[in-house]
């Protein structure tokens, strides 16, 4: 959070079994297809206070346990 990130790299999540990710207060502008890769156990994504202008219809593909996407 608060790292001035402009994008999210799928490779950051390799070898991690996360349930929640926080990308609050950054400069992220876009969520691409399969943005969160194969994070099969991901339940919560917090993306508030960013500059998101485009979200691919497939950004959250295969995230079957996803419960909360916070874009506030």
């Amino acid at each position: 959070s608060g790292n001035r990130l402009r994008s999210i790299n799928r490779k950051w999540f390799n070898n991690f079994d996360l349930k929640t990710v926080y990308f609050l207060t950054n400069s992220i502008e876009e969520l691409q297809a399969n943005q969160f890769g194969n994070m099969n156990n991901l339940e919560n994504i917090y993306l508030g206070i960013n500059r998101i202008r485009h979200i691919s219809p497939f950004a959250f593909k295969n995230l079957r346990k996803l419960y909360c996407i916070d874009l506030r």
Side-chain angles (χ1 to χ4, degrees):
S1 293
N3 295 310
R4 298 184 200 159
L5 298 173
R6 291 184 173 263
S7 63
I8 300 170
N9 187 327
R10 263 178 279 197
K11 294 178 183 178
W12 294 342
F13 306 114
N14 289 346
N15 304 316
F16 291 101
D17 187 23
L18 302 174
K19 290 188 177 186
T20 302
V21 292
Y22 295 90
F23 288 103
L24 300 164
T25 316
N26 283 288
S27 297
I28 298 167
E29 296 178 354
E30 177 180 18
L31 297 178
Q32 300 175 359
N34 297 311
Q35 184 69 67
F36 297 94
N38 294 320
M39 296 182 67
N40 299 325
N41 291 315
L42 191 59
E43 296 175 358
N44 306 290
I45 301 172
Y46 294 93
L47 292 160
I49 313 173
N50 276 286
R51 298 178 181 172
I52 298 173
R53 295 182 182 178
H54 175 75
I55 299 175
S56 165
F58 304 103
F60 308 106
K61 185 178 179 183
N62 297 325
L63 300 179
R64 294 188 174 111
K65 293 185 179 181
L66 190 60
Y67 178 77
C68 174
I69 303 169
D70 187 343
L71 298 169
R72 292 181 277 158

